[in-house]
Amino acid sequence: MSDAANIWALNHRVLSLVMNECAEQLASLGLETKEFFVLGEIEPCRYPAELAKRLMLPKASVTVYLRNLVAKKFVRREIDEGDLRRHRLVLTSEGRCALDAATMALSSSFETRLTRLKAQERAELERLLTTLV
């Protein structure tokens, strides 16, 4: 396996472990894992097509996730005043609370792993990831 493939696999494994550890907490908030990611991108991406592109998901999948989030009252669809044919997505206060609580759960789980690093290693990891992004 190449270095790039190995690093990618390790990164994916860490993220998967954190998501799996928090699955029950997310479920208790009324969120599935992918719904969490969709909910987290509503504010920077106000339109479903933009959301699908940003998350690299099929538009049909995003439509299903949004339908679920609207039913849960986490997201609201509004007519776009600039183009009455389009619906703009709005994160509701319930959605904000669920997103914040889920983010805290994920952060706490990830923090457990980060404590294994020295402060300097942690800063270097952040710097490296920022460079990659």
Side-chain angles (χ1 to χ4, degrees):
M1 185 181 299
S2 71
D3 284 348
N6 189 49
I7 292 168
W8 181 86
L10 287 168
N11 184 58
H12 184 265
R13 191 165 168 214
V14 168
L15 296 177
S16 294
L17 287 167
V18 169
M19 293 305 297
N20 288 338
E21 284 175 6
C22 296
E24 282 185 37
Q25 289 172 288
L26 267 62
S28 73
L29 296 167
L31 285 172
E32 293 178 17
T33 302
K34 288 189 179 175
E35 289 174 345
F36 165 75
F37 289 109
V38 171
L39 197 62
E41 297 296 333
I42 296 289
E43 289 184 325
C45 295
R46 296 290 187 167
Y47 302 97
E50 289 176 8
L51 198 55
K53 185 176 180 181
R54 184 175 184 114
L55 292 169
M56 295 180 278
L57 292 171
K59 289 179 184 178
S61 296
V62 171
T63 298
V64 171
Y65 297 132
L66 287 173
R67 194 175 306 142
N68 293 341
L69 292 168
V70 167
K72 296 173 187 180
K73 300 190 186 313
F74 291 160
V75 174
R76 189 174 60 246
R77 291 178 185 261
E78 296 180 347
I79 299 292
D80 185 337
E81 293 299 321
D83 183 350
L84 300 177
R85 298 168 296 174
R86 292 178 71 181
H87 284 93
R88 188 170 64 98
L89 303 170
V90 178
L91 187 64
T92 65
S93 59
E94 294 91 342
R96 167 59 58 204
C97 288
L99 178 61
D100 289 348
T103 301
M104 288 293 291
L106 291 163
S107 294
S108 177
S109 178
F110 193 61
E111 177 67 28
T112 300
R113 286 182 163 65
L114 288 176
T115 59
R116 300 174 191 170
L117 300 176
K118 297 175 188 163
Q120 182 181 354
E121 292 170 325
R122 200 170 164 154
E124 181 67 4
L125 176 61
E126 183 176 6
R127 186 190 69 73
L128 293 169
L129 291 172
T130 300
T131 300
L132 290 175
V133 171

